[in-house]
Amino acid sequence: MDPNFLEFEQPIADLEVKIEELKRVSTESDLDLSVEIDRLTQKSEKLTKDIFSSLSAWQVTQLARHPKRPYTLDYIKGVFSDFRELHGDRMSADDHAIVGGLAKMGNQGVVIIGHQKGRDTKEKVYRNFGMPKPEGYRKSQRLMKMAERFRLPIITFIDTPGAYPGVDAEERGQSEAIAKSIYLMTGLKVPIISIVIGEGGSGGALAIGVCDRLLMLSYATYSVISPEGCASILWKSADKAPEAAEAMKVTSKQLMEFELIDRIIEEPLGGAHRDPGATIRTTRQAIQEELERLLKLDEKSLLMQREEKIGKMGRFVEA
Amino acid sequence: MNWFERLFPPKINVSSRLSGKRGVPEGVWIKCASCQATVYGAELERNIQVCPKCGFHMRIGARDRLLALLDDGSQEEIAANLRPVDILKFRDSKRYKDRIVDAEKSSGEREALVVLKGTLKHSTVVTSAFEFRYMGGSMGSVVGEKFARGVDIARELKSPFICFSASGGARMQEALFSLMQMAKTSAALNRLHEDGLPYVSVLTDPTMGGVSASFAMLGDIIIAEPGALVGFAGPRVIEQTVRQTLPDGFQRSEFLLEHGAIDMIVGRLEMRDTLASLLGSLGFRGSLIPTLSDLLPEDATKS
């Protein structure tokens, strides 16, 4: 099985194998197979469109976790210039699951913060699978306060399964670190744009995700608990994760319907990993538009709008 | 087992009072889950559910807790009419709608947070407490809204805000709406702090997940009841992640004090005095000493 293709994409993978085979034959011999290749390529594209037009929440979850998907540092490289990474919480450590630093978008200085996952095993371990510890959130708070001091907008990239559930993280105050981050962001006097690029995992995601504009890649997910975690608690079995993903309505489309996010960034056909360059260009365009709009607001209206946005999140009745 | 018993095994959380075993009529004699002593129900009630033999703090309902804290007759409920809605049409083994009905029956409350305005030793306060029997004290839209309204009323009254947490975390049945309550409650506290008003957070057994990782840890002063389980991730999740047995007392109040996460551990019987004293030192003192106008006949003060 081709690791580039997810299980539900296997029919596409099979076609792609055939196309590759025909291409190989046609270059190795003098046979002109271009008509046949074109036909199969069109068929593959149509099949992809069909499959992707009706993805289940669980299939989207798998796409959001796709190992070939662009990560925060890929976006930083493609969207901004002059990025300089800044390290450490000035207290105990530098968390590699959260990266941050200064950069420019055109002439505008910005502060960037994002979860970072790793690709190969070694890098995955180094990045702790994108699961931050308290020092990561404290680094993020430090950079946000600096952004406020120098009046720089903040752009955050969300891509984490969740904050790290470990003994050391608890000892150093994981709850406090997340709580303080959320608290800080509710009152920061500079514009904040957050983009969910992959997995938006619970409090660990929200800790860098309280913002003025919440954007989401079309095949990203955002949820209060992982589908596996939800399934093991409510269905008593992690195998029911697909049902849990569906029930929690974790996709960008579903969250847009509930007005919990502000904008969807469309991914190329087949997902961001099929064309990272195009994905990053679309994302850049979206960030630029949002940033221009937010920079026009004075501090008071910015904070008022944020407070209103946060305040109206929730559904209830007054009986 | 229901879902919160899975999170918090009966051994550590469900007092015998709730399990009603041994054929003893419920409420008359209660067996302490810690020292196994049999205690007379009325005595336990007078002792605000603290075992008179060993001092073990049993779970207590939100309303009972706040009524014991505030001055008699001063209490007034805030946002009592807010009810949850099943916006996602959430269904696991049971429908969320049905869980709401069950939770109301088993807890006698209409949501997992009770907010009462009142006086504490004659000083106005707005207090809130979680009802753990209502879906494990989980935080959904109603909890977030009630918390925020409580805070805003404290601002109107220029009074402190107190919250007693007892919660498994965010309410999964409200999915991302419940996650966003972490931001909503934090934003409310930001307004309170801008106004220069104090917020005291009291952590009780258990305080976990999204509640622990938002307003519970944002107190100007953070107090914990003895032996309360407090943490971000549940012990089982951590055990599965690190693949080792957790040390005794991990994530308990005493552990948190040792690691600098909280200001103090205070027993329930001393809570009223402690809170009044702390708020008094912060400048929120009730007038225990009668003023001149209280003592003199009405026309005497006019001259």
Side-chain angles (χ1 to χ4, degrees):
Chain A
M1 203 173 113
D2 187 337
N4 278 329
F5 288 93
L6 296 165
E7 210 180 317
F8 68 86
E9 297 178 291
Q10 273 315 300
I12 307 167
D14 295 344
L15 268 180
E16 291 296 324
V17 169
K18 270 186 207 155
I19 293 168
E20 284 308 308
E21 181 67 15
L22 286 179
K23 279 182 183 164
R24 192 180 58 81
V25 172
S26 75
T27 43
E28 282 172 8
S29 63
D30 288 338
L31 283 171
D32 181 14
L33 296 169
S34 59
V35 176
E36 184 63 7
I37 290 171
D38 280 354
R39 195 184 64 83
L40 283 182
T41 308
Q42 273 171 29
K43 196 177 164 191
S44 168
E45 205 180 302
K46 188 178 177 300
L47 188 65
T48 311
K49 270 184 190 152
D50 285 351
I51 290 176
F52 275 75
S53 65
S54 57
L55 292 176
S56 70
W58 181 241
Q59 287 167 337
V60 174
T61 304
Q62 288 168 283
L63 282 167
R65 294 171 177 172
H66 200 288
K68 291 269 168 92
R69 219 174 149 78
Y71 292 153
T72 293
L73 284 172
D74 303 314
Y75 284 95
I76 291 179
K77 206 188 278 175
V79 173
F80 308 94
S81 60
D82 288 334
F83 176 66
R84 304 284 166 177
E85 188 172 352
L86 302 173
H87 294 273
D89 67 351
R90 301 288 192 274
M91 287 186 243
S92 64
D94 182 41
D95 192 335
H96 305 136
I98 286 191
V99 294
L102 285 163
K104 274 189 176 159
M105 183 148 199
N107 287 323
Q108 175 67 51
V110 293
V111 164
I112 305 167
I113 292 156
H115 301 108
Q116 181 64 35
K117 290 180 175 176
R119 287 200 198 281
D120 57 34
T121 310
K122 204 177 144 192
E123 208 195 342
K124 277 180 185 159
V125 171
Y126 179 73
R127 299 291 181 189
N128 199 28
F129 303 87
M131 295 187 288
K133 295 182 180 182
E135 48 268 33
Y137 296 116
R138 288 175 185 139
K139 168 166 72 178
S140 157
Q141 289 168 33
R142 180 174 78 81
L143 298 182
M144 286 178 187
K145 283 177 192 161
M146 184 176 71
E148 188 175 52
R149 209 160 99 72
F150 295 97
R151 308 238 162 263
L152 303 176
I154 297 166
I155 293 148
T156 71
F157 292 92
I158 294 169
D159 191 13
T160 180
Y164 183 63
V167 175
D168 56 338
E170 294 288 326
E171 282 174 346
R172 289 198 291 278
Q174 187 72 291
S175 287
E176 192 269 355
I178 294 171
K180 276 284 161 60
S181 298
I182 294 171
Y183 176 82
L184 174 70
M185 295 182 91
T186 62
L188 272 181
K189 296 182 176 74
V190 291
I192 310 168
I193 299 171
S194 297
I195 308 122
V196 189
I197 56 171
E199 282 182 280
S202 189
L206 185 66
I208 63 164
V210 181
C211 59
D212 301 300
R213 295 289 289 174
L214 179 56
L215 283 50
M216 220 171 141
L217 272 284
S218 48
Y219 302 130
T221 58
Y222 199 176
S223 63
V224 68
I225 183 172
S226 70
E228 289 87 344
C230 178
S232 62
I233 296 169
L234 291 180
W235 279 262
K236 327 248 183 276
S237 156
D239 299 341
K240 298 285 183 190
E243 281 90 333
E246 207 59 64
M248 288 196 294
K249 313 241 184 318
V250 300
T251 69
S252 59
K253 219 167 143 187
Q254 291 164 325
L255 295 174
M256 192 77 183
E257 279 166 25
F258 288 118
E259 296 173 8
L260 284 165
I261 62 169
D262 300 305
R263 177 173 180 161
I264 295 174
I265 301 172
E266 286 301 333
E267 292 180 36
L269 184 63
H273 57 288
R274 296 267 172 257
D275 192 347
T279 309
I280 289 165
R281 277 194 300 279
T282 326
T283 306
R284 181 180 209 286
Q285 183 65 30
I287 295 173
Q288 196 146 29
E289 286 168 17
E290 298 297 344
L291 197 56
E292 270 170 29
R293 209 171 308 160
L294 289 175
L295 285 171
K296 281 188 193 128
L297 297 173
D298 59 57
E299 191 181 296
K300 207 176 148 202
S301 14
L302 179 79
L303 287 174
M304 245 171 58
Q305 281 185 22
R306 191 184 305 153
E307 190 172 322
E308 203 179 310
K309 177 180 165 67
I310 297 170
K312 70 172 194 209
M313 279 176 173
R315 300 285 173 91
F316 50 84
V317 286
E318 301 211 54
Chain B
M1 272 203 292
N2 64 25
W3 70 270
F4 69 82
E5 281 175 353
R6 282 174 63 85
L7 269 179
F8 310 103
K11 193 178 65 174
I12 57 165
N13 81 49
V14 180
S15 69
S16 317
R17 192 170 76 92
L18 296 175
S19 58
K21 279 177 192 159
R22 302 204 160 220
V24 179
E26 206 178 338
V28 178
W29 292 98
I30 288 131
K31 198 173 150 199
C32 171
S34 177
C35 71
Q36 314 295 320
T38 310
V39 187
Y40 188 49
E43 192 186 355
L44 197 56
E45 208 165 294
R46 271 197 304 277
N47 224 27
I48 25 183
Q49 306 299 327
V50 177
C51 173
K53 301 276 188 324
C54 72
F56 177 72
H57 284 53
M58 303 184 189
R59 295 241 167 95
I60 180 171
R63 204 166 288 271
D64 288 348
R65 180 190 286 284
L66 296 182
L67 291 178
L69 177 77
L70 295 167
D71 299 339
D72 283 343
S74 74
Q75 308 92 347
E76 195 182 311
E77 186 159 5
I78 292 165
N81 56 344
L82 298 191
R83 311 290 295 275
V85 286
D86 179 17
I87 185 81
L88 301 176
K89 308 217 179 335
F90 196 100
R91 181 179 196 152
D92 47 272
S93 57
K94 234 184 196 178
R95 291 189 312 177
Y96 178 35
K97 267 189 175 163
D98 297 335
R99 285 191 192 270
I100 292 171
V101 175
D102 292 353
E104 282 186 10
K105 271 189 207 146
S106 62
S107 69
E109 292 294 347
R110 305 177 103 191
E111 248 293 349
L113 188 74
V114 175
V115 188
L116 297 187
K117 179 182 100 173
T119 57
L120 173 60
K121 299 200 177 185
H122 310 286
S123 178
T124 304
V125 285
V126 178
T127 60
S128 56
F130 275 78
E131 178 53 65
F132 193 75
R133 284 171 301 180
Y134 192 108
M135 294 188 75
S138 58
M139 172 164 64
S141 294
V142 172
V143 169
E145 180 70 15
K146 277 186 154 187
F147 186 97
R149 288 195 194 179
V151 167
D152 287 334
I153 286 179
R155 292 171 60 220
E156 271 170 37
L157 299 169
K158 299 192 172 28
S159 74
F161 184 75
I162 301 170
C163 180
F164 292 85
S165 300
S167 171
R171 188 174 299 166
M172 288 171 284
Q173 289 85 352
E174 291 186 28
L176 205 65
F177 281 106
S178 63
L179 186 76
M180 293 306 173
Q181 304 313 307
M182 295 171 74
K184 188 168 176 171
T185 52
S186 303
L189 289 174
N190 216 323
R191 296 194 287 275
L192 187 79
H193 288 175
E194 292 259 299
D195 289 1
L197 298 166
Y199 163 53
V200 182
S201 171
V202 186
L203 315 173
T204 79
D205 188 56
T207 298
M208 306 298 293
V211 166
S212 162
S214 59
F215 55 85
M217 282 297 166
L218 291 174
D220 293 299
I221 295 166
I222 305 178
I223 299 172
E225 279 194 340
L229 184 74
V230 179
F232 176 65
R236 279 179 194 204
V237 177
I238 298 174
E239 273 181 342
Q240 280 164 15
T241 312
V242 300
R243 295 179 195 288
Q244 66 188 52
T245 325
L246 299 171
D248 270 356
F250 179 68
Q251 292 183 318
R252 295 284 166 184
S253 304
E254 298 71 18
F255 169 93
L256 265 77
L257 185 68
E258 192 63 33
H259 285 87
I262 58 174
D263 290 291
M264 60 181 92
I265 297 173
V266 176
R268 202 173 288 157
L269 295 163
E270 291 79 47
M271 195 61 79
R272 190 174 138 88
D273 286 345
T274 309
L275 285 170
S277 151
L278 288 167
L279 293 175
S281 298
L282 286 171
F284 296 83
R285 197 189 310 270
S287 51
L288 277 176
I289 305 158
T291 59
L292 194 61
S293 60
D294 288 333
L295 296 174
L296 296 174
E298 209 173 298
D299 44 335
T301 53
K302 282 177 188 160
S303 57

